[in-house]
């Protein structure tokens, strides 16, 4: 994947870098409760500081819709990031204007400053060119380190890259390199695992993947829709019966592109949706009318593990069952451990992403053994769907 990296920027002594980071972190009573996103920005900030640049951080928090909302100010995050960075981080309660210019001018070389929530500016989410020009005047280069916001064509995520020399930050660089290995230029065969509750939320994703991968394993509630479309009874399981034609269409597209669809072969069913509910394992045509499918069975996991043995690249999004409830996390945990073991042994490039996916891999205790786990959410899904990501495309345009 072609884009410029910080290493391409050369000597930055005396220059100011506008750095888009993702500081949209969970907060409780003014305190950051999970600093993962803050920690992910450290490498980029320290790299720029080492090269002599002043670092001006741009970020959003929540959805203020162009209004100043006190509860969505980034002021508390400046202190939290300073602790993570181990260095002072100044804060300016705006993201444009002469007072911002003055604060940056007063900043010492290698100094760090965090500007106020970019979404307080009405033109941010509209990609307003006048706002972009005003913000671009604050710096000499632009660095995007927020892949999670790359699917938005906002001023701070894309338009600034059209006005300044633009580079990918270290976290962005790792994300793009990993995604390129997964679907850009993957080592074949490629296996995709897609789970979750509803087919309706992942139609575009499925239609794209079956044209890109060699095998697609479908799990979770969405597998029930495919099973029903094949004529199997799914009892009172979560199932979008009205999407049976869509499921058949996706299978047809897969067939035309040489992609094997892997659906559950055995099922874990229960009569109530609750942890440790009475349950049993059964075949595809043995689900009673008052039972619901809550997990895939051991035969399905074994088939999936065999598919992983054959694959050289794995892309994973979504759990295989109701993993939040024991023992209906069994298939997800077993499959995740199988993938992680192969990735750790260097036999498989395993890339995963999406909120539930990250939670499931952490639950299985194997997230660190995957080749790469994206926390980007919407941007990761749109990438899997084959949609353009404005924040990434803007970086590509600066590659010569």
């Amino acid at each position: 994947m072609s884009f410029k990296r910080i290493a391409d920027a050369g000597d930055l002594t005396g220059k100011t870098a506008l750095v888009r980071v993702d500081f949209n972190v969970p907060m409780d009573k003014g305190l950051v409760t999970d600093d993962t996103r803050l920690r992910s920005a450290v490498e980029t900030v320290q790299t720029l500081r080492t090269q002599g640049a002043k670092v001006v951080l741009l970020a959003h928090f929540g959805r203020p819709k162009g209004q100043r909302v006190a509860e969505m100010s980034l002021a508390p995050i400046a202190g939290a990031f300073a602790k993570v960075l181990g260095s002072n981080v100044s804060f300016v309660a705006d993201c444009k204007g002469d007072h911002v210019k003055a604060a940056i001018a007063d900043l010492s070389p290698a100094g760090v400053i965090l500007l106020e929530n970019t979404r307080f500016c009405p033109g941010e989410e509209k990609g307003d060119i006048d706002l972009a020009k005003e913000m671009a005047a604050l710096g000499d280069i632009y660095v995007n380190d927020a892949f999670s916001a790359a699917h938005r064509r906002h001023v701070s995520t894309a338009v600034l890259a059209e006005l300044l020399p633009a580079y990918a930050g270290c976290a962005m660089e790792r994300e793009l390199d990993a995604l390129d290995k997964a679907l850009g230029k993957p080592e074949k065969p490629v296996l995709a695992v897609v789970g979750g509750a509803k087919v309706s939320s992942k139609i575009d994703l499925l239609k794209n993947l079956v044209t890109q991968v060699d095998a697609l394993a479908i799990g979770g509630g969405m597998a029930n829709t495919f099973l029903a479309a094949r004529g199997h009874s799914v009892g009172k399981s979560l199932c979008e019966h009205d999407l049976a034609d869509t499921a058949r269409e996706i299978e047809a597209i897969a067939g035309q592109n040489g992609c094997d669809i892997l659906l559950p072969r055995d099922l874990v069913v229960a009569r109530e949706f609750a942890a440790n509910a009475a349950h049993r394992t059964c075949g595809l045509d043995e689900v009673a009318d008052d039972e619901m499918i809550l997990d895939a069975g051991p035969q399905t996991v074994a088939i999936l593990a065999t598919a992983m043995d054959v694959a050289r690249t794995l892309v994973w999004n979504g759990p295989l069952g109701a993993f939040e409830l024991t023992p209906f996390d069994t298939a997800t945990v077993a499959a995740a451990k199988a993938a992680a073991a192969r990735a750790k042994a260097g036999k498989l490039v395993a890339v995963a992403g999406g909120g539930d996916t990250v939670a499931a891999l952490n639950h299985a205790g194997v997230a660190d053994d995957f080749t790469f786990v994206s926390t980007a959410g919407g941007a990761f899904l749109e990438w899997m769907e084959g949609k353009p990501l404005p924040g990434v495309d803007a970086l590509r345009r600066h590659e010569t």
Side-chain angles (χ1 to χ4, degrees):
M1 190 178 295
S2 181
F3 57 90
K4 284 189 175 180
R5 306 162 192 254
I6 294 176
D8 299 317
D11 183 16
L12 296 175
T13 302
K15 294 187 177 181
T16 298
L18 303 183
V19 185
R20 181 53 158 95
V21 292
D22 181 2
F23 283 178
N24 193 29
V25 295
M27 303 277 289
D28 183 32
K29 298 177 181 177
L31 298 176
V32 176
T33 57
D34 183 343
D35 66 1
T36 301
R37 289 177 172 176
L38 304 186
R39 287 185 282 107
S40 73
V42 169
E43 184 180 357
T44 292
V45 172
Q46 296 291 46
T47 298
L48 291 166
R49 295 177 76 199
T50 299
Q51 293 180 220
K54 296 180 180 182
V55 179
V56 179
L57 302 174
L58 309 173
H60 77 277
F61 185 85
R63 297 182 178 182
K65 298 181 180 179
Q67 303 295 317
R68 284 188 171 270
V69 180
E71 295 78 14
M72 296 182 188
S73 172
L74 290 177
I77 295 177
F81 185 59
K83 291 180 181 178
V84 171
L85 187 64
S87 181
N88 183 59
V89 176
S90 303
F91 177 74
V92 180
D94 209 335
C95 59
K96 62 176 184 174
D98 291 339
H99 55 299
V100 177
K101 288 183 180 179
I104 295 174
D106 291 340
L107 198 63
S108 60
V112 182
I113 193 167
L114 173 64
L115 303 187
E116 183 57 282
N117 191 338
T118 58
R119 291 186 180 177
F120 282 3
C121 295
E124 159 72 341
E125 294 181 81
K126 298 175 183 177
D128 182 74
I129 189 62
D130 291 329
L131 174 62
K133 288 178 179 178
E134 192 169 359
M135 292 178 68
L138 300 173
D140 301 296
I141 69 167
Y142 168 79
V143 177
N144 194 340
D145 208 31
F147 178 79
S148 57
H151 57 316
R152 310 292 189 195
R153 193 182 184 280
H154 295 173
V155 168
S156 68
T157 61
V159 185
L160 281 177
E162 299 168 4
L163 302 177
L164 291 171
Y167 306 89
C170 300
M172 173 75 86
E173 183 179 323
R174 286 193 298 274
E175 187 102 29
L176 296 182
D177 286 343
L179 299 187
D180 200 39
K181 287 183 179 179
L183 281 185
K185 298 175 183 176
E187 186 175 351
K188 289 181 168 287
V190 183
L191 167 66
V193 175
V194 178
K198 296 182 177 181
V199 172
S200 55
S201 64
K202 297 185 178 181
I203 292 175
D204 290 344
L205 184 154
L206 295 173
K207 286 184 176 180
N208 181 56
L209 282 180
V210 294
T211 68
Q212 302 289 323
V213 305
D214 300 289
L216 170 64
I218 301 174
M222 60 196 307
N224 301 337
T225 300
F226 281 83
L227 291 175
R230 289 187 176 185
H232 299 291
S233 173
V234 296
K236 63 173 185 177
S237 306
L238 175 65
C239 179
E240 294 173 291
H241 292 281
D242 59 323
L243 291 181
D245 286 343
T246 300
R248 285 188 282 267
E249 179 190 1
I250 291 168
E251 292 214 53
I253 296 171
Q256 293 163 8
N257 287 275
C259 173
D260 292 329
I261 298 288
L262 306 178
L263 291 176
R265 297 286 185 88
D266 57 345
L267 310 163
V268 178
V269 299
R271 287 184 168 81
E272 61 176 328
F273 187 81
N276 303 310
H279 59 280
R280 68 186 183 97
T281 302
C282 68
L284 295 183
D285 295 309
E286 299 172 356
V287 181
D289 290 344
D290 63 346
E291 290 179 319
M292 64 184 80
I293 302 166
L294 296 182
D295 200 9
Q299 183 183 353
T300 300
V301 173
I303 291 170
L304 187 51
T306 298
M308 290 177 187
D309 278 336
V310 174
R312 295 295 299 166
T313 302
L314 169 69
V315 185
W316 189 330
N317 172 257
L320 303 180
F323 79 99
E324 307 93 335
L325 307 174
T326 55
F328 309 112
D329 59 346
T330 302
T332 299
V333 169
K337 287 183 175 180
R342 288 156 177 77
K344 192 174 183 179
K347 298 178 180 178
L348 184 70
V349 172
V351 175
D356 285 346
T357 312
V358 176
L361 297 184
N362 285 330
H363 174 69
V366 299
D368 290 342
D369 292 332
F370 267 58
T371 308
F372 187 80
V373 177
S374 173
T375 58
F380 182 84
L381 286 176
E382 292 200 17
W383 166 78
M384 287 186 72
E385 291 168 359
K387 295 179 179 177
L389 302 180
V392 174
D393 290 344
L395 295 177
R396 283 198 184 106
R397 282 197 291 272
H398 281 75
E399 177 66 20
T400 57

